Amino acid sequence: MSKRNLSILLLLLITAALYFILPRFDHSVPEPPLVEKTDSIQVAPKYEPKILYGMVVDSLVIIEDKIKRNQNIAEILTAHNVTNDAIFKLAKASKSVFDVRKLVANKKYTLICERDSLKTAKAFVYEHNPVEYVIFNLKDTISVEKKQKDIEIVEKGVSGIIEYNLATTMKDIGLSAQLTDAFVDVFAWQIDFFRLQKGDKFKLIYEDHLVDGNPIGTGKIKSIYFEHFGNDFYAFHYDQGDGIDYFDENGNSLRKALLKYPLDFTRISSRYSGNRYHPVQKRWKAHRGTDFAAPRGTPIRAVGDGIILEARYQKYNGNYVKLKHNATYTTQYLHMSAIKSGVKPGKKVRQGEIIGYVGSTGLATGNHLCYRFWKNGVQIDALKVDLPPSAPIKEENMLDFDSSMQSMMAQLEAIEFKEEAEPLYASAK
């Protein structure tokens, strides 16, 4: 082979080798990346300023504490660069809103201060109860204003099975004494709560009031189911235009002309009897009243509208009040520690109005209320009297009531009975 041909062969071999050794490049146009389509437009998150007691406090220093014993507002503000002159003006401006001398130990306060070395106070906020607070403005024009926090209403449903009594059962499942009293008032004429039996059970739907997520009290009872001695009792709230009242599933009122009990839920220490051994006189005699044992000072309420016949002290009765409700019924309340100021003969009182306070004046060995009841001039057992009910659901409201009642009935039926019931549901209102 000639040198020329040999050179051509070597060139071809080198070219072939380079083809397999060197990387090859794709010169085709690449596909555009897949983009997920969306109707929303991405925007930067909106700036939300921090608000406290209605004031923007992003750039300020927040100091929270509680009023110490014997501490006053001057002591607190002086420590945060507020002059005596400003404190004097503040006290003067607050006279018609809140008396600065009435700060209570252990109540919460908040100082809103400048972000400077002295932490100069711009505002002082005092929370004198869970709902209301007072803002003392110290920047520019000194002023004082009283405000309220928002109250969140949450609807709750619970159930309970009676072991000893209603009060203990409701306390064991975390319900308040206030709610127990309201419960008893609803069924006061249908159920004798002093004669409950073990195994009686209830379902309850009520409103809980919250501030800053913390409970501050209960609102109205919405509905109740109570099983007593194998009998079913229902209560449904409804407003016919003259305030909330309670009705059974047929629209009959559960409220009677008179309250059954003159005290909030307590205990009976002695019942009406024709022959009872008197603890003071040490002899057997008739006891024409019902004794309710309660702590001294417990408020006593009028069981119905009426006119005061007597309000005075008497040797055996102690301090007592006697009310005439109408031509048929009269009631009397004995052994009060004190008669409420303004309660005097001839004055009209309303059902539920406080007329005095539990005590042990007169012929009594301990704090209690002796409650007496007359019908047509004859003393009878107040707990056995059968009074006519109040007005039922009006005909024009019956369809609306029935719809509301059916909804509440379904909620009650959804609640299960448990030995230690917890709220089945809680819905914000």
Side-chain angles (χ1 to χ4, degrees):
M1 182 180 295
S2 64
K3 290 182 178 181
R4 183 174 180 276
N5 290 338
L6 182 59
S7 297
I8 293 172
L9 179 61
L10 288 173
L11 181 61
L12 289 172
L13 290 172
I14 292 170
T15 301
L18 290 174
Y19 176 81
F20 289 104
I21 294 172
L22 294 178
R24 286 164 290 176
F25 297 95
D26 186 0
H27 297 287
S28 62
V29 179
E31 289 285 338
L34 291 174
V35 178
E36 185 177 348
K37 293 184 179 181
T38 176
D39 294 331
S40 63
I41 300 173
Q42 297 294 324
V43 295
K46 185 179 179 181
Y47 165 68
E48 293 288 345
K50 182 179 179 181
I51 306 294
L52 187 63
Y53 300 111
M55 295 176 278
V56 179
V57 296
D58 284 342
S59 60
L60 302 174
V61 176
I62 307 302
I63 300 171
E64 294 181 340
D65 206 343
K66 291 184 178 180
I67 302 294
K68 298 175 179 59
R69 187 177 179 183
N70 298 323
Q71 192 175 35
N72 57 51
I73 194 169
E75 180 183 343
I76 297 170
L77 296 180
T78 301
H80 289 275
N81 202 30
V82 179
T83 66
N84 289 332
D85 182 57
I87 295 172
F88 175 77
K89 290 179 180 177
L90 189 70
K92 186 177 180 180
S94 69
K95 280 186 177 180
S96 61
V97 181
F98 181 83
D99 189 342
V100 295
R101 296 171 299 179
K102 294 183 178 179
L103 300 184
V104 177
N106 293 318
K107 294 288 186 179
K108 179 185 174 183
Y109 73 83
T110 302
L111 281 165
I112 300 173
C113 306
E114 298 281 11
R115 195 176 290 278
D116 55 20
S117 59
L118 298 175
K119 293 182 180 177
T120 303
K122 287 187 62 176
F124 172 77
V125 183
Y126 174 66
E127 298 185 16
H128 63 98
N129 64 46
V131 178
E132 297 178 316
Y133 59 92
V134 183
I135 299 178
F136 299 85
N137 295 299
L138 298 159
K139 192 69 175 176
D140 302 325
T141 303
I142 288 176
S143 62
V144 181
E145 52 186 335
K146 185 181 288 187
K147 292 191 174 184
Q148 287 191 344
K149 295 182 179 181
D150 292 333
I151 299 176
E152 180 187 6
I153 300 176
V154 177
E155 192 175 278
K156 292 186 176 180
V158 295
S159 68
I161 301 175
I162 303 297
E163 181 69 24
Y164 302 106
N165 56 55
L166 179 68
T168 301
T169 302
M170 293 187 75
K171 182 180 179 181
D172 288 346
I173 59 177
L175 304 178
S176 67
Q178 173 193 357
L179 192 60
T180 302
D181 291 337
F183 189 114
V184 171
D185 279 346
V186 170
F187 281 129
W189 290 101
Q190 286 71 37
I191 299 170
D192 185 347
F193 286 94
F194 297 103
R195 295 185 184 275
L196 297 183
Q197 67 172 2
K198 182 177 180 179
D200 283 353
K201 56 183 69 174
F202 64 87
K203 298 177 183 181
L204 167 67
I205 297 174
Y206 68 100
E207 291 179 348
D208 212 6
H209 289 177
L210 309 177
V211 170
D212 298 332
N214 301 312
I216 62 164
T218 54
K220 62 178 173 284
I221 289 175
K222 304 294 289 295
S223 58
I224 305 174
Y225 165 76
F226 200 100
E227 184 181 312
H228 176 52
F229 283 101
N231 298 311
D232 297 337
F233 297 86
Y234 285 95
F236 302 99
H237 89 293
Y238 191 77
D239 187 349
Q240 298 201 86
D242 50 4
I244 294 292
D245 208 342
Y246 292 91
F247 304 85
D248 66 16
E249 65 273 30
N250 298 313
N252 298 312
S253 175
L254 300 181
R255 182 170 57 87
K256 302 291 181 175
L258 301 179
L259 297 175
K260 192 168 187 178
Y261 307 121
L263 300 174
D264 280 340
F265 195 51
T266 178
R267 70 181 180 86
I268 294 176
S269 55
S270 181
R271 290 179 176 268
Y272 184 97
S273 172
N275 193 25
R276 182 196 72 156
Y277 185 75
H278 197 284
V280 178
Q281 296 179 320
K282 307 298 182 184
R283 63 187 178 91
W284 293 91
K285 60 181 293 188
H287 182 240
R288 305 298 187 190
T290 303
D291 289 349
F292 293 87
R296 180 182 177 85
T298 300
I300 299 168
R301 58 191 182 182
V303 296
D305 295 354
I307 296 175
I308 299 171
L309 296 178
E310 300 175 57
R312 63 188 180 92
Y313 179 86
Q314 195 264 346
K315 182 179 178 181
Y316 296 112
N317 294 344
N319 294 314
Y320 75 94
V321 173
K322 192 171 186 178
L323 304 178
K324 183 178 181 64
H325 300 286
N326 52 29
T328 304
Y329 301 111
T330 302
T331 57
Q332 189 178 26
Y333 314 77
L334 282 61
H335 308 307
M336 296 178 174
S337 60
I339 297 170
K340 186 180 179 183
S341 176
V343 172
K344 54 187 179 181
K347 182 180 177 182
K348 292 182 179 180
V349 294
R350 298 300 303 274
Q351 186 179 70
E353 184 177 337
I354 295 172
I355 55 175
Y357 306 91
V358 169
S360 57
T361 57
L363 203 62
T365 57
N367 293 314
H368 74 284
L369 167 68
C370 179
Y371 174 51
R372 296 181 177 178
F373 196 101
W374 285 263
K375 181 178 182 180
N376 295 320
V378 178
Q379 273 190 271
I380 59 175
D381 187 346
L383 300 184
K384 293 183 177 179
V385 64
D386 186 20
L387 294 172
S390 295
I393 293 292
K394 299 173 184 176
E395 186 176 350
E396 62 266 30
N397 295 328
M398 198 62 197
L399 284 177
D400 184 61
F401 167 77
D402 189 63
S403 174
S404 176
M405 181 272 293
Q406 292 291 347
S407 175
M408 289 184 280
M409 179 80 81
Q411 288 179 309
L412 287 171
E413 290 176 350
I415 300 175
E416 297 180 357
F417 284 113
K418 298 178 181 178
E419 291 294 336
E420 294 183 3
E422 294 190 5
L424 177 77
Y425 68 87
S427 59
K429 295 282 287 179

